[in-house]
Amino acid sequence: MRRKGLFVVLEGIDGSGTTTIGKMLESELKQKNIRAHYTFEPTGGPVGSLIKNILSKRVVMNLKNGDSAVFDQKAVALLFAADRLDHIRNEIEPLVKDGFVVISDRYKFSSFAYQSIFADSEWVRDINRFAIEPDLLFFLDVDVKIGLKRVGKRGNVREIYEREELLKKVRTNYLSDIKKYRYSHIIDSNRTLDEVYLDIREILFKRLSAYGYKI
């Protein structure tokens, strides 16, 4: 009988380390001959690609007077929900059903934290009502200043959400929401990458052992 798959979500503000940790987990699991798959949101699909271009200000609204404006954030919230639904149906669910450990770098909790700043929080939850629940949720909690400093070292184009005052609100939203879920774990991500990784690894591997995986 095939082992049950596992759906794991990593969340955090910009610079918290979700991407690096997610790839590290996938790599170690594969080394242990456990089928694992790292994925992310926004996805690399058509809707996800549009979202990324909006966030990086490569796509803007052209106004009749010749000026440009950023997309309405409610429209962005709808795009995130649409991208997520496609992500679930075509990638996450099939792989979990087939016994994979699926590690998603961000998920619906990002929408609750980010888009709820610009739109009614209950509406944001409603448009994400079809998003399945993960088995494990890790919130990598980092101080906003530290997170932005890490983002700055990447040398990438700053996204529209990468502003200190906005990220402080996002972090507050995350913390108030994450605590509601029995499967959630808040991880201090101000520490070194190795320290953060070992904490997450211990929790994840304990769950995998309970599911019959040989770790």
Side-chain angles (χ1 to χ4, degrees), residues 3-71:
R3 292 188 187 94
K4 172 181 168 57
L6 203 72
F7 179 32
V8 181
V9 171
L10 301 173
E11 291 279 5
I13 66 168
D14 307 78
S16 62
T18 57
T19 301
T20 304
I21 294 293
K23 291 179 178 178
M24 289 172 69
L25 289 171
E26 180 194 41
S27 177
E28 184 174 0
L29 289 171
K30 286 182 175 179
Q31 287 172 15
K32 294 180 179 296
N33 296 315
I34 294 173
R35 295 192 298 169
H37 176 71
Y38 166 81
T39 187
F40 51 86
E41 293 188 359
T43 70
V47 180
S49 297
L50 174 59
I51 293 170
K52 289 174 186 176
N53 282 326
I54 291 172
L55 297 183
S56 62
K57 297 180 251 185
R58 291 188 179 93
V59 173
V60 295
M61 293 291 292
N62 291 317
L63 305 178
K64 288 183 177 179
N65 63 3
D67 292 336
S68 61
V70 295
F71 270 70

Side-chain angles (χ1 to χ4, degrees), residues 11-190:
E11 291 279 5
I13 66 168
D14 307 78
S16 62
T18 57
T19 301
T20 304
I21 294 293
K23 291 179 178 178
M24 289 172 69
L25 289 171
E26 180 194 41
S27 177
E28 184 174 0
L29 289 171
K30 286 182 175 179
Q31 287 172 15
K32 294 180 179 296
N33 296 315
I34 294 173
R35 295 192 298 169
H37 176 71
Y38 166 81
T39 187
F40 51 86
E41 293 188 359
T43 70
V47 180
S49 297
L50 174 59
I51 293 170
K52 289 174 186 176
N53 282 326
I54 291 172
L55 297 183
S56 62
K57 297 180 251 185
R58 291 188 179 93
V59 173
V60 295
M61 293 291 292
N62 291 317
L63 305 178
K64 288 183 177 179
N65 63 3
D67 292 336
S68 61
V70 295
F71 270 70
D72 181 89
Q73 287 298 313
K74 294 184 183 68
V76 174
L78 288 166
L79 287 173
F80 267 107
D83 184 50
R84 184 165 297 123
L85 189 58
D86 181 63
H87 191 203
I88 293 164
R89 296 293 180 263
N90 293 305
E91 189 172 357
I92 295 170
E93 281 188 326
L95 287 171
V96 172
K97 187 177 180 180
D98 198 33
F100 276 77
V101 177
V102 177
I103 303 159
S104 185
D105 180 355
R106 297 183 180 276
Y107 190 54
K108 65 177 182 177
F109 311 97
S110 288
S111 284
F112 300 161
Y114 283 81
Q115 271 75 57
S116 290
I117 293 175
F118 307 98
D120 178 74
S121 60
E122 290 306 312
W123 177 77
V124 175
R125 289 180 183 279
D126 187 53
I127 62 176
N128 285 280
R129 65 186 180 279
F130 297 113
I132 61 173
E133 297 300 320
D135 296 290
L136 281 173
L137 165 62
F138 294 101
F139 174 60
L140 280 60
D141 185 26
V142 67
D143 180 81
V144 171
K145 289 184 182 296
I146 293 174
L148 284 174
K149 186 176 180 179
R150 291 173 181 172
V151 170
K153 289 181 179 179
R154 297 176 194 161
N156 297 335
V157 176
R158 278 284 181 95
E159 294 188 347
I160 60 176
Y161 298 140
E162 292 173 356
R163 304 194 309 273
E164 184 173 345
E165 289 308 310
L166 189 146
L167 286 178
K168 285 180 179 178
K169 294 177 183 178
V170 170
R171 180 174 176 269
T172 298
N173 285 349
Y174 261 131
L175 287 170
S176 63
D177 184 60
I178 293 291
K179 295 173 183 177
K180 300 175 185 176
Y181 305 97
R182 57 178 175 74
Y183 48 73
S184 68
H185 300 269
I186 298 174
I187 308 294
D188 179 5
S189 193
N190 294 304

